[in-house]
Amino acid sequence: MTALEARKAVFEKDSNYITKEIYNHFQIKIQEAVSQGHYCCTVKVPTTNSFLIVDVLNLLKAEGFYCHIIPPCCEVYTITDFCEIEVEW
């Protein structure tokens, strides 16, 4: 599967607006970092969408990005918690 096919599959899967929103959030952060000459960026996303984040990370990995979750300071999440994901290229 090519990156374009993977992107199309994620975007067509149940027409999930939140997945698209998270993906676009990552793309904006990546574009900002690239425009500043960086080779990586950190993206904060709400833990309430953690199951959708996996789809987005798989898509980014298919596009050649290296992604990893920065371990949180605490082990107990609340509805307002965020996780940080580092994206490298």
Side-chain angles (χ1 to χ4, degrees):
M1 175 179 282
T2 67
L4 180 59
E5 291 169 336
R7 183 182 306 113
K8 188 175 179 182
V10 168
F11 274 37
E12 290 178 354
K13 180 182 175 184
D14 301 325
S15 298
N16 192 328
Y17 177 76
I18 297 172
T19 301
K20 294 175 191 176
E21 190 176 287
I22 294 170
Y23 177 81
N24 288 334
H25 179 66
F26 273 86
Q27 289 297 326
I28 290 168
K29 294 296 183 182
I30 291 168
Q31 289 174 355
E32 288 173 357
V34 168
S35 70
Q36 295 173 5
H38 299 289
Y39 295 97
C40 68
C41 66
T42 302
V43 182
K44 283 179 83 169
V45 289
T47 56
T48 54
N49 297 323
S50 59
F51 66 96
L52 299 173
I53 294 169
V54 173
D55 286 342
V56 173
L57 293 182
N58 287 336
L59 179 58
L60 290 169
K61 288 176 183 178
E63 293 178 337
F65 293 98
Y66 174 74
C67 307
H68 70 277
I69 298 172
I70 299 171
C73 303
C74 60
E75 295 181 14
V76 178
Y77 292 106
T78 67
I79 199 162
T80 58
D81 282 342
F82 288 83
C83 67
E84 291 184 320
I85 299 170
E86 187 174 67
V87 182
E88 296 179 52
W89 49 91

